[in-house]
Amino acid sequence: LRSIILYEKERMSNNNINNNNDEHYTFNFNNPEYQKDGSFECHDYTYEGSCDGGWKIRRNGVLHMTLGKGYIPIQTVYCGVCSTDLAKKFLPYPLPQIVGHEVVGTVYNKHKDKSSSDNVVVVEINASEYARRVKNDTNTNPYDTPAMHTHDPMRITMGIDRLPGGFAPIVLAPIGAVITVPPSISVRTAALTEPFAAALQGVESTPPQNGDTVAVLGPRRLGALILAALDGYRRSNELDFEIVAISRHDKLLEVSKKLGADTIVNNKNEELTEKKYDIVFDTTGRPEGFALALRLAKRIVHLKSTNGQKVQGLQHLTDLVVDEMALLSFSEQNLNFTWPYEKRSNPSVFCAPGVSSEIIEIIRSTGRTVVQDDIRSTYNKLTASKGPLIVGDDDLRSLLRPSPFPRFDLAVAGTLEEVDAILRPDTAAEISLVRARGAILLSTSDEDNDKSLLWKSILHSNMQLHSSRCGNFDR
């Protein structure tokens, strides 16, 4: 494991430091990569290119992938291990791959906003056009913003989706995603930047209120960081809510107290009360942990961990987290769902075939545009011929014009199968009918879906399921 995670400078075949973005580099190394069966194999890699000219990545001497401009080489010092790395074989991304996305390193070439090649840096994982500081040919990418570039459908993701990751001596990092680490933060502590940013993203997207009782289920590394984020959020906003850590391990609970938990509960020894907590953050990464969170929450379950497996009747629960979407019960009030600090009216709503005419009339009475059609047919119209940034069908494009992204703002589904189909109409493409940070509203209750605790919790108990993933490193 040490040989996979830690690399020394001597492993580099080219350690020249040059300060020009057009300087050409060649890096050769032999490296472990994650295979489809979850094992590791070592293979020869070559990264050749420059920030301004783009890069060619060769694997065992054969061209493996080509990157456009906007990437700089970063020497890896440390790379954290995430539960996403451990579950990689279950996730919908190509393998084999060099994994690892919690990277701390040093800059190999000077570029603007950086003053020294010896800077210790962390790297945000999304290689979007915004992060690479490039524009597409038409300059019409609606995701090209600080808030939404992490959902750019044209992006690739370091260590997760195609872009080789941090369990290697060099990573090719988007130039705008490289953030200098302050001298007051140690290099090892900096390795927690990516998961702590994700923790803070979760807290701020599901903000507790005065008087709430907020539980963190499974306070290992990510859960412990959520405890710290909750405590920091409470202090900085001068709020009064209780933070509870729930675990079966006393050692984890001891750490939880140090990081901000007011109350610790060992659920190995204590019986838990259902519907006791206003908000439950599930960081277990386990289907049974998610089921426990559903039983414990009164108002919201916030899902942070992903495992790529079918859970509670949903095949694409991991994709829901990737898109930072929510599941809610249908109501006129929930048609106004937004993330905190967002201002939007959700003008366009897709209704799956299983949604009743009565619900469609309720939505139309609010002045919103409603489309009810076959899910796959609607997906084909969205993506027809023009790619993921422009609605392909002229009529549908006209209907969606008030929406800021080429997707529906919300969807309404009548079954869990329809939820899955809305999330990923084409399982080979990371494209949903609904915009990132949107919501799918569940509209009916039938015998088959009532077998799912998730469905019953949302429809019968009016609980909400929230999700989030990446955070902002600058914050």
Side-chain angles (χ1 to χ4, degrees), residues 272-293:
L272 297 173
T273 303
E274 293 194 4
K275 305 302 178 187
K276 180 176 181 178
Y277 305 102
D278 297 285
I279 302 172
V280 177
F281 286 89
D282 175 29
T283 66
T284 63
R286 298 166 62 87
E288 56 268 33
F290 181 55
L292 178 58

Side-chain angles (χ1 to χ4, degrees), residues 361-372:
E361 287 307 311
I362 291 172
I363 301 171
R364 284 183 173 146
S365 72
T366 67
R368 291 175 167 88
T369 297
V370 180
V371 173
Q372 185 176 38

Side-chain angles (χ1 to χ4, degrees), residues 87-102:
K88 190 72 167 63
K89 67 179 181 179
F90 298 111
L91 302 181
Y93 303 114
L95 290 172
Q97 185 189 22
I98 299 175
V99 295
H101 58 272
E102 299 177 0

Side-chain angles (χ1 to χ4, degrees), residues 123 140 421:
V123 182
T140 56

